Amino acid sequence: MLPKPKALAVVLAGVGGALAISALLLLGSATELLMVIAPFGASCVLMFALPAAPLSQPVNVVGGHVVAAFAGMLALAFFPSEWWGAAFGVGLAISGMMALRVTHPPAGANPIVIYGLQPGWEFMIVPILIGPILLVVIATLYHRVTGGTYPSKS
């Protein structure tokens, strides 16, 4: 089990995650672009609740989402209607993230999202690249305003 967090840390983490996802949803509404996918909520858990964790760092958040989504898009391109294509994409995403040292567990769900949505390659830019970059910027600003540290200095 993780150590018991202070009540203020609990509240700040929840508010931070809610604000980050709200900002992306509002931007998506204003631009009529898909800016949020479910794995971004899980990314917020790491960035706001465990900001010092290695898997929460910007290179892992952005790189993990990009690598995992690319794996999902490749799987979709080669196995578009195969039930096992999404599973292959998840496995490829895990291997790719590990090999490139950008493991980010929430991103492992990206191939499943891709199989559900069946998007075009523009999905790699919005939401996959732009979304995590914005989440990292929001998390960095939020932690600075609230007295926290993100990204980790170590």
Side-chain angles (χ1 to χ4, degrees):
M1 284 179 82
L2 292 171
K4 183 176 181 180
K6 294 180 180 176
L8 180 60
V10 171
V11 171
L12 289 176
V15 169
L19 288 174
I21 294 298
S22 293
L24 266 61
L25 288 170
L26 287 170
L27 180 61
S29 179
T31 61
E32 296 185 5
L33 295 171
L34 175 65
M35 293 300 301
V36 175
I37 57 173
F40 292 176
S43 295
C44 285
V45 172
L46 288 172
M47 290 188 295
F48 291 98
L50 299 167
L55 303 177
S56 303
Q57 299 314 299
V59 69
N60 293 74
V61 175
V62 177
H65 278 292
V66 169
V67 169
F70 186 70
M73 293 300 289
L74 283 177
L76 184 64
F78 288 100
F79 314 113
S81 60
E82 300 297 335
W83 64 266
W84 46 266
F88 175 79
V90 169
L92 187 60
I94 293 168
S95 294
M97 287 188 290
M98 287 181 68
L100 295 172
R101 299 184 323 157
V102 293
T103 302
H104 184 64
N110 288 358
I112 298 167
V113 171
I114 287 167
Y115 264 78
L117 295 176
Q118 304 273 310
W121 283 94
E122 67 279 358
F123 190 77
M124 290 297 301
I125 304 299
V126 177
I128 294 301
L129 178 62
I130 302 300
I133 289 173
L134 291 174
L135 288 175
V136 165
V137 168
I138 293 164
T140 300
L141 294 172
Y142 185 78
H143 283 290
R144 288 194 180 148
V145 167
T146 60
T149 303
Y150 180 82
S152 176
K153 302 285 189 219
S154 54

